[in-house]
């Protein structure tokens, strides 16, 4: 027998779980499915949480690996070989492991009344039916929170992302004792811009709890046949990071800003599925959660009050589209600065600015 729900959410990452929580809190019958036993199990991520997240969500203590109070940007070039600038945040950011973070968000959605079904791959969306490896489920609304290769986006008529719209990224989790982390990296996240290593991309070191997350991201069309894992190995050697490798994962990120429409008929898309990832550096968790809140509420007003589902599209654009405009300008500026060999010079100048320590504008959004 086909089971019926108000909302079926495909994908239980940050976008899916936040949508599920908001919809369940508003009294809807919600089913959330994920192809993995638990969301986050196979998700590649640096685990960086923008200050908005610890400030606005009551996260369990053991989900946070480390509170982060700043960012250090490092650039290497020919004229200036090593430029470095550090920013301080007015509210703490954090680092996490997705395997714990995503599960925690899914648990909260379940506490609020959503049903969770793991190891369930959605194969196709047909009208109001989701065809999965565990049978067919029906709902009034179907939400695609299923990442960059979303099958719900496909059912809505969106083509796959083009290579020039995607970045590829890989991340290692590497062991390092906390004393060494504190001495070398402190409580800051480190981003490295090194044209010799990678173009139109960057490397990172994010400190955790007795471990680091080290990785590299690059626009797909600028990889020129290079192997991201080998480049990351080279970067780790260069930075003298040689602890035990705990995990290695890779993934894709849409870097072109949101899809033209994110609601159609009885379907909507949210998070990476909708291209909600920030195009400047590929930060996506904060956006996925912000849009998930809007999606969950709009599902409720659609099911309970008959409000059009397109209100979701209108509402998030009205509230947040300006952030994508800013990020896209940031991305253009980065590309220009890199092409003109200006990144190390720019950072050097920035490091002379007496106000550089204040990054509170970022912590407020
Ligand atoms: C290497 C790397 C590092 C990153 N680092 C950061 C960072 O430090 N901070 C940050 O904010 N962002 C980071 N991002 C981006 C961030 O991971 C994403 O933007 C974020 O995960 C988007 O959340 P989401 O819920 O939309 O999608 P996802 O987290 O991708 O969740 C999608 C879920 O859907 C499930 N799924 C997919 N297809 C199906 C299907 N057909 N049926 C059932 N289930 C399905 C998946 O199993 C998954 O659990 C990084 C990305 C990469 C690749």
């Amino acid at each position: 027998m086909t089971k019926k729900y108000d909302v079926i959410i495909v994908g239980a990452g940050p976008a899916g779980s936040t949508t599920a929580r908001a919809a369940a809190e508003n009294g809807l019958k919600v089913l959330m499915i994920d192809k993995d036993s638990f969301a986050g199990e196979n998700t590649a991520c640096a685990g960086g949480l923008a200050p908005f997240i610890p400030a606005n969500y009551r996260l369990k203590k053991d989900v946070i690996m480390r509170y982060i109070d700043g960012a250090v940007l490092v650039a290497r070039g020919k004229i200036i070989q090593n430029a470095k600038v550090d920013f301080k945040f007015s509210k703490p950011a954090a680092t996490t492991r997705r395997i714990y973070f995503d599960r925690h968000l899914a648990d909260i959605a379940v506490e609020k009344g959503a049903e969770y079904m793991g190891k369930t791959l959605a194969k196709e969306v047909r009208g109001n039916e989701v065809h999965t490896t565990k049978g067919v489920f029906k709902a009034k609304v179907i939400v695609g929170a299923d990442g960059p290769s979303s099958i719900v986006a496909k059912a809505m008529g969106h083509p796959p992302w083009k290579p020039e719209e995607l970045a590829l990224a890989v991340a290692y989790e590497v062991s390092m004792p906390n004393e060494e982390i504190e001495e070398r990296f402190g409580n800051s996240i480190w981003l490295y811009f090194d044209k010799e290593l990678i173009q139109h991309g960057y490397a990172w070191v994010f400190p955790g709890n007795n471990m680091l997350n080290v990785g590299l991201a690059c626009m797909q069309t600028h990889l020129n046949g290079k192997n991201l894992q080998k480049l990351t190995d080279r970067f780790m050697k260069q930075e003298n990071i040689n602890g035990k490798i705990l995990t290695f994962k890779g993934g894709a990120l849409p870097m072109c800003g949101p899809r033209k429409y994110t609601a159609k008929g009885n379907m909507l898309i949210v998070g990476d599925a909708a291209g909600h990832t920030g195009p400047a550096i590929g930060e996506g968790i904060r956006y996925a959660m912000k849009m998930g809140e809007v999606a969950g509420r709009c599902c409720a007003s659609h099911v309970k009050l008959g409000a059009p589902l397109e209100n979701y599209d209108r509402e998030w654009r009205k509230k947040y589209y300006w952030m994508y405009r800013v990020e896209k300008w940031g991305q253009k500026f980065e590309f220009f600065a890199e092409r003109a060999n200006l990144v190390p010079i720019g950072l050097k100048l920035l490091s002379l600015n007496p106000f550089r320590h204040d990054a509170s504008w970022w912590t407020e959004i």
Side-chain angles (χ1 to χ4, degrees), residues 10-17 33-36 38-50 53 98 102 120-123 145-151 167-171 202 204 206 213 216-217 249-254 270-274 276-278 282-288:
V10 183
S17 286
I33 64 170
D34 202 284
K35 64 179 172 48
D36 296 330
F38 289 100
E41 234 177 26
N42 292 308
T43 307
C45 191
L49 301 178
I53 299 171
R98 291 293 294 272
D102 288 24
T120 309
L121 175 79
K123 295 191 289 187
D146 44 349
S149 322
S150 168
I151 61 148
L168 298 181
V170 296
Y202 63 93
W204 68 79
F206 284 13
N213 187 304
L216 224 140
K249 291 175 187 167
L253 290 153
V270 60
D272 279 10
H276 281 144
T277 334
E283 182 212 332
I285 302 172
R286 172 175 51 138
Y287 292 98

